[in-house]
C-alpha cells in the first residue's frame, strides 16, 4: 500500500514538473505550474485546508473543477472540497444567497457594487479565524472570482488581508472572429479557424473548452464566430445546429454567441427577391430567422453587421440608410433581448471627400434614431487600425447612440504574428484620449463605458488573433494582446503597465529580474513599430491586398483611397495629408479644443503631424531636425528599438527553456529584418521626392528602390479570400 502511494506521488510530481516546463504556449496565461518557491505558499495552503464550493449549477460545477485543478496543480497536493459549509471552512466560494448571516453581515453592502458579473475576494474573520471568501450575486460572478483568485495565486499575491471588489465596467466584452466557413481567417496569422464546421455539431474539440476558459479568465463574455465579410450560409439550419453546439460549450463560461448577418441573406438563402429593409416580407423573413435561432440558442447574443462597406450588401442598395437596416434587424431581435452591432467602417467609392471624414459624416446625423438594442461599432481610428491613429472623431459626437469600440488584436498592420508588438499600449492611448465632448476629461473610455452619456448598453470588441496554432496566436507575445484586450474591455481604465505586469507573471515567472526588463521591452514595442513603419503620423503605406510590408509607392488601385500615395501625398515640396481648413478640414469633426490644437503644426502632438499636415521637407521639428531628417531618424530609431528588444530577450535567457527562448529569438530576428525593410524601402522612396541625403546615424539601404518595389507575396497569410 505504502509503495503504491509512493508511486502515485512520484507520478504526480513528475506531471507537475512537466506542466511547469511545458513551453509550447498552449496553456496561455493559465499555466498552473507548481508555485515556485513562494513566500505565500504556506498561506495558500492554510487557506485551502478545507474548501467549500457551492456548486449547484452547471456553471458553478465548471468553476469548481477549474478551481480544484488550478489549486492542486499549483500547490502540488490534492485537496478535499467539502459538500457542506461548516465551521472548519477556510475557503468559501459561494453566492450571496448561500452565505450565513454572520458572514453576510460583514460584507453585505459590498454586493451592491457587484452587479450581475462582479465578485468579491475577501479575507474575513469568522469566530476569530481567518477565512478566504469568494462571493458574488450570480454564477457568472463566481466564475470570474475563481479565475481571478487563481491568477492572484499564480502571480504570487498575498491573500492574507485581501479585500478585492471588482466588476466589469462594460457590458459586452467581445471577440470578433473574421473566420470564414472554409476555416481560412481573414487577416488571421495563427493558423486556421478554431471552428471545425465539418465535424460540428457532434465533435467537440477540447480547444473549444480551453478557448472558453481563456476568455472567461479575462472576462470576455461574447464572441462573434464568423467574418464580417459574411456568408449567408451560417444562418441556415445546418449551420445553426453547429453554432448551437459551440454555444452550449461557451454558455458555462458566461459567453454568448453572435453571428455576422449578411444583409442579402433573405435573397441568398431565403428565396426572396429583395433584401430591402422596409419591405414587409423581408422583415418577416428576419423575424422568422431570428426565432429559429433562439429556439436552438435561447441566449443568442445577436448580429454583427458590416453593410455597405467594401462591397458588402446593405440597406443603401435599396435607397435606404443605416438606420433602416439596423432597426429592421433590431426589431427582429428585440423580443429575445438580442442586439444588433452595426459597424461604422464605411467609406464609399462614390464619395471623393477625405476617407477619414466619411463615417462621421454618414453616421453622426443619425444620432438618436437607432433602436435601443443597436450599438454602433466604431474602429479606434478613422482610417483602419494603423499602428497609430488619432481617436475616431465619432467618439466625441454621438451622445444618444451607444458606441462600441472596435480594436484589432490580430496584427494586420503591425507585423502579423511575427512582430512583437504589445497592443494594450495602443488601446490605452485611444481610451485615454480626451474628446472634450462635455468639457475636459471626456475621455473615449468614458464614452465606451457609458458613463459620459449614461448609455443603457455598452461594448468593446476586438478582432481576434486566435487560430489553430499550438500556442493559439502564432507569436507567444501575441497572447498578451488577447489577454490585454480582455482586461481593458473589463476595465478600460487599466494601465498597459499593469496589464503587462500581470501577463508576464502569469505566463513566465514573477521574478523581478525577468519581469522588469521584459515589461519595458513590451511597453516600448508599440512605439517601435510606429517608428519603423509609420513615423510622425504617416499611415496606410503598406503593400496591396495582403498588407504585408511597405508599399508607399502604390498608386494603381481602382479606388484612390486604396492607394498609399493618397495618404502620404509626398511631392517635391513635402509630405503629409492636409486635414486642416486649407485641406480636407477633417479637424472640424473634433471638439473645438482639439481642432485648434491640431490645426497648427506647432501645437499638434508631433506623433500626429503628417496625419493632419502637409509640410515642407525642411520644416523644423521640435527637436530642431528638419522634417526629412526627423522622418529618417525615426525609421532608424525603430530599427534600434528592435535590436534592443533582442538584447533584452538574450539577457533573459536563464529564465527560459531552450524552446521558449529560441522561438522568440527567431521571431525577433524576422522582426528586425522587416523593420529594416520598412525603413529602407520607405526612405528610398520618399528620398525620390525630398532629394536629400540621409542624415548621419541612418544606415544606408543595402538594396535599391527598384528591388523593394519588385517584391511580390502572392501567398502571404491572412489574405482576403473570395468573400461569398
Ligand atoms: O482593414 C480592412 C481589412 C479587411 C476587413 C476590413 C473591415 C473584414 O483589410 O480585411 O474586412 O478592414 O474591417 O471590414
Amino acid at each position: 500500500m505504502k509503495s503504491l502511494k509512493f508511486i502515485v506521488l512520484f507520478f504526480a510530481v513528475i506531471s507537475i514538473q512537466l506542466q511547469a516546463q511545458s513551453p509550447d504556449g498552449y496553456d496561455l496565461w493559465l499555466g498552473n505550474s507548481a508555485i515556485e518557491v513562494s513566500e505565500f505558499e504556506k498561506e495558500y495552503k492554510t487557506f485551502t485546508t478545507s474548501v467549500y464550493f457551492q456548486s449547484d449549477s452547471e456553471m458553478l460545477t465548471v468553476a469548481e473543477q477549474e478551481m480544484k485543478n488550478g489549486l492542486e496543480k499549483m500547490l502540488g497536493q490534492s485537496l478535499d472540497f467539502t459538500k457542506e459549509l461548516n465551521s472548519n471552512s477556510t475557503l468559501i466560494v459561494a453566492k450571496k444567497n448561500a452565505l450565513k448571516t454572520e458572514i453576510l453581515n460583514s460584507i453585505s453592502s459590498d454586493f451592491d457594487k457587484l452587479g450581475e458579473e462582479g465578485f468579491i475576494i475577501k479575507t474575513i474573520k469568522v469566530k476569530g479565524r481567518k477565512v478566504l471568501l469568494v462571493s458574488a450575486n450570480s454564477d457568472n460572478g463566481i466564475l470570474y472570482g475563481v479565475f481571478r483568485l487563481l491568477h492572484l495565486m499564480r502571480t504570487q499575491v498575498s491573500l492574507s488581508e485581501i479585500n478585492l471588489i471588482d466588476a466589469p465596467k462594460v457590458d459586452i466584452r467581445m471577440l470578433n472572429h473574421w473566420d470564414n466557413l472554409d476555416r481560412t481567417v481573414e487577416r488571421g496569422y495563427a493558423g486556421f479557424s478554431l471552428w471545425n464546421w465539418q465535424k460540428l455539431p457532434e465533435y467537440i474539440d477540447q480547444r473549444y473548452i480551453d478557448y472558453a476558459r481563456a476568455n472567461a479568465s479575462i472576462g470576455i463574455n461574447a464572441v462573434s464566430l464568423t467574418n464580417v465579410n459574411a456568408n449567408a450560409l451560417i444562418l441556415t439550419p445546418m449551420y445553426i445546429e453547429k453554432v448551437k453546439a459551440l454555444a452550449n460549450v461557451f454558455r458555462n463560461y458566461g459567453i454568448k454567441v453572435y453571428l455576422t448577418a449578411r444583409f442579402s441573406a433573405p435573397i441568398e438563402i431565403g428565396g426572396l427577391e429583395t433584401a430591402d429593409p422596409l419591405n414587409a416580407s423581408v422583415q418577416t423573413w428576419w423575424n422568422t430567422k431570428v426565432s429559429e435561432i433562439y429556439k436552438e440558442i435561447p441566449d443568442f447574443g445577436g448580429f454583427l453587421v458590416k453593410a455597405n462597406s467594401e462591397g458588402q450588401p446593405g440597406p443603401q442598395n435599396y435607397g435606404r440608410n443605416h438606420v433602416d437596416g439596423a432597426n429592421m434587424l433590431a426589431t427582429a431581435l428585440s423580443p429575445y433581448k438580442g442586439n444588433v452591432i452595426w459597424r461604422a467602417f464605411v467609406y464609399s467609392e462614390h464619395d471623393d471627400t477625405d476617407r477619414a471624414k466619411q463615417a462621421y459624416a454618414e453616421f453622426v446625423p443619425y444620432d438618436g434614431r437607432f433602436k435601443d438594442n443597436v450599438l454602433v461599432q466604431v474602429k479606434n481610428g478613422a482610417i483602419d487600425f494603423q499602428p497609430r491613429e488619432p481617436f475616431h472623431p465619432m467618439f466625441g459626437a454621438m451622445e444618444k447612440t451607444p458606441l462600441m469600440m472596435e480594436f484589432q488584436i490580430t496584427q494586420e498592420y503591425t507585423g502579423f504574428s511575427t512582430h512583437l508588438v504589445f497592443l494594450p499600449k495602443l488601446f490605452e492611448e485611444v481610451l485615454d484620449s480626451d474628446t472634450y465632448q462635455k468639457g475636459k476629461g471626456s475621455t473615449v473610455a468614458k464614452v465606451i463605458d457609458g458613463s459620459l452619456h449614461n448609455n443603457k448598453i455598452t461594448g468593446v470588441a476586438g478582432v481576434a488573433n486566435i487560430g489553430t496554432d499550438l500556442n493559439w496566436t502564432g507569436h507567444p507575445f501575441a497572447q498578451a494582446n488577447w489577454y490585454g484586450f480582455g482586461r481593458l474591455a473589463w476595465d478600460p481604465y487599466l494601465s498597459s503597465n499593469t496589464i503587462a505586469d500581470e501577463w508576464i507573471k502569469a505566463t513566465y515567472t514573477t521574478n523581478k529580474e525577468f519581469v522588469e526588463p521584459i515589461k519595458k521591452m513590451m511597453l516600448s514595442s508599440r512605439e517601435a513599430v510606429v517608428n519603423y513603419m509609420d513615423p510622425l503620423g504617416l499611415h496606410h503605406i503598406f503593400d496591396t491586398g495582403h498588407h504585408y510590408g511597405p508599399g508607399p509607392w502604390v498608386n494603381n488601385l481602382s479606388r484612390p483611397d486604396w492607394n498609399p500615395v493618397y495618404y502620404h501625398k509626398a511631392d517635391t515640396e513635402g509630405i503629409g495629408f492636409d486635414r486642416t481648413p486649407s485641406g480636407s478640414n477633417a479637424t472640424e469633426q473634433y471638439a473645438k479644443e482639439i481642432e485648434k490644437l491640431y490645426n497648427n503644426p506647432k501645437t499638434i502632438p508631433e506623433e500626429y503631424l503628417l496625419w493632419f499636415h502637409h509640410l515642407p521637407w525642411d520644416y523644423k521639428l521640435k527637436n530642431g531636425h528638419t522634417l526629412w531628417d526627423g522622418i529618417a531618424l525615426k525609421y532608424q530609431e525603430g530599427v534600434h528599438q528592435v535590436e534592443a528588444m533582442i538584447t533584452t530577450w538574450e539577457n533573459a535567457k536563464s529564465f527560459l527553456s531552450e524552446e521558449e527562448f529560441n522561438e522568440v529569438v527567431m521571431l525577433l530576428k524576422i522582426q528586425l529584418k522587416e523593420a529594416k525593410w520598412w525603413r529602407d524601402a520607405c526612405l528610398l522612396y520618399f528620398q525620390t521626392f525630398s532629394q536629400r541625403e540621409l542624415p548621419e546615424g541612418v544606415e544606408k539601404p543595402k538594396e535599391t528602390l527598384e528591388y523593394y518595389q519588385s517584391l511580390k507575396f502572392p501567398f502571404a497569410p491572412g489574405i482576403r479570400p473570395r468573400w461569398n
Side-chain angles (χ1 to χ4, degrees), residues 178 186-187 227-229 306 310 343 345 379 384-385 406 412-413 547 720:
W178 286 355
E186 183 157 344
R187 312 311 178 186
N227 194 349
V228 288
N229 291 325
K306 171 173 178 177
E310 299 186 331
R343 296 178 86 227
F345 178 65
K379 288 189 181 182
D384 194 3
F385 299 136
E406 180 172 338
E412 175 179 4
Y413 301 107
H547 300 172
R720 270 183 180 189

Side-chain angles (χ1 to χ4, degrees), residues 517-659:
I518 298 301
K519 189 161 59 178
K520 214 169 133 218
M521 168 179 88
M522 289 169 75
L523 292 174
S524 64
S525 62
R526 187 297 186 105
E527 206 55 40
V529 74
V530 170
N531 288 338
Y532 65 72
M533 286 188 184
D534 293 316
L536 294 169
L538 287 173
H539 53 287
H540 203 298
I541 53 174
F542 44 80
D543 203 0
T544 306
H546 46 62
H547 300 172
Y548 174 57
W553 46 79
V554 175
N555 64 1
N556 59 353
L557 302 177
S558 58
R559 288 176 58 164
D561 53 10
W562 281 350
N563 287 306
V565 295
Y566 170 95
Y567 296 94
H568 62 68
K569 302 202 185 309
D571 54 27
T572 49
E573 301 294 309
I575 184 169
F577 197 130
D578 183 2
R579 294 193 163 108
T580 70
S582 54
S584 79
N585 206 15
T587 50
E588 76 171 345
Q589 295 182 335
Y590 289 95
K592 285 280 159 274
E593 291 86 339
I594 301 178
E595 188 185 357
K596 195 165 157 243
L597 205 70
Y598 286 11
N599 275 343
N600 181 347
K602 293 288 169 214
T603 55
I604 189 169
E606 268 184 354
E607 59 260 32
Y608 301 137
L609 194 62
L610 303 176
W611 190 285
F612 291 103
H613 294 272
H614 187 83
L615 295 169
W617 294 109
D618 284 332
Y619 174 82
K620 274 267 170 340
L621 295 171
K622 285 184 189 139
N623 61 9
H625 287 297
T626 63
L627 179 59
W628 166 249
D629 285 0
I631 292 175
L633 288 163
K634 279 279 173 202
Y635 272 108
Q636 182 64 50
E637 188 184 336
V639 170
H640 283 325
Q641 284 169 304
V642 180
E643 284 162 351
M645 285 159 70
I646 296 179
T647 310
T648 303
W649 191 249
E650 279 170 349
N651 290 339
K653 189 166 186 204
S654 61
F655 293 96
L656 300 158
S657 71
E658 247 339 83
E659 210 173 325

Side-chain angles (χ1 to χ4, degrees), residues 293-314:
I293 298 176
Y294 277 91
K295 218 169 124 239
E296 302 301 326
I297 311 168
D299 55 353
F300 179 64
F303 293 135
L304 167 64
V305 190
K306 171 173 178 177
N308 294 121
S309 163
E310 299 186 331
Q312 293 300 301

Side-chain angles (χ1 to χ4, degrees), residues 292-485:
E292 270 172 36
I293 298 176
Y294 277 91
K295 218 169 124 239
E296 302 301 326
I297 311 168
D299 55 353
F300 179 64
F303 293 135
L304 167 64
V305 190
K306 171 173 178 177
N308 294 121
S309 163
E310 299 186 331
Q312 293 300 301
Q316 292 171 354
N317 298 32
Y318 307 94
R320 316 296 182 193
N321 61 36
H322 290 291
V323 178
D324 301 326
N327 285 353
M328 183 269 295
L329 292 175
T331 301
L333 286 158
S334 91
Y336 312 92
K337 302 208 176 339
N339 299 314
V340 176
I341 300 175
W342 192 269
R343 296 178 86 227
F345 178 65
V346 296
Y347 60 104
S348 161
E349 63 268 44
H350 309 298
D351 185 346
D352 58 10
T353 54
D354 177 2
R355 170 172 162 189
K357 293 178 70 175
Q358 295 184 25
Y360 178 106
E362 210 167 321
F363 275 85
V364 173
Y366 300 141
D367 193 19
R369 291 181 50 200
F370 291 100
K371 285 190 179 271
D372 284 352
N373 56 335
V374 177
L375 296 104
V376 172
Q377 182 166 296
V378 184
K379 288 189 181 182
N380 60 271
I383 297 293
D384 194 3
F385 299 136
Q386 297 302 285
R388 170 167 280 128
E389 295 198 28
F391 74 87
H392 201 305
M394 280 177 71
F395 289 119
M398 292 181 81
E399 205 161 316
K400 303 190 202 87
T401 309
L403 297 182
M404 190 155 162
M405 172 64 74
E406 180 172 338
F407 285 129
Q408 193 178 47
I409 316 172
T410 190
Q411 293 175 242
E412 175 179 4
Y413 301 107
T414 51
F416 292 10
S417 61
T418 17
H419 293 209
L420 192 165
V421 178
F422 183 57
L423 292 173
K425 190 83 183 157
L426 183 166
F427 304 158
E428 173 187 47
E429 181 176 290
V430 176
L431 292 165
D432 287 352
S433 298
D434 199 341
T435 69
Y436 288 90
Q437 191 176 7
K438 287 189 165 172
K440 196 167 164 41
S442 307
T443 59
V444 173
K446 288 188 187 165
V447 175
I448 293 308
D449 76 0
S451 57
L452 195 68
H453 306 308
N454 248 322
N455 299 113
K456 288 201 204 67
I457 181 167
T458 56
V460 175
V463 181
N465 62 346
I466 303 159
T468 50
D469 273 10
L470 194 50
N471 70 2
W472 304 85
T473 54
H475 198 305
F477 276 78
Q479 296 181 354
N481 293 334
W482 178 7
Y483 179 88
F485 166 78

Side-chain angles (χ1 to χ4, degrees), residues 251-268:
R251 185 168 300 117
N252 283 332
Y253 292 91
I255 299 167
K256 283 190 179 176
V257 164
Y258 285 67
L259 292 174
T260 47
R262 186 161 163 86
F263 206 78
S264 49
I267 304 172
E268 287 158 23

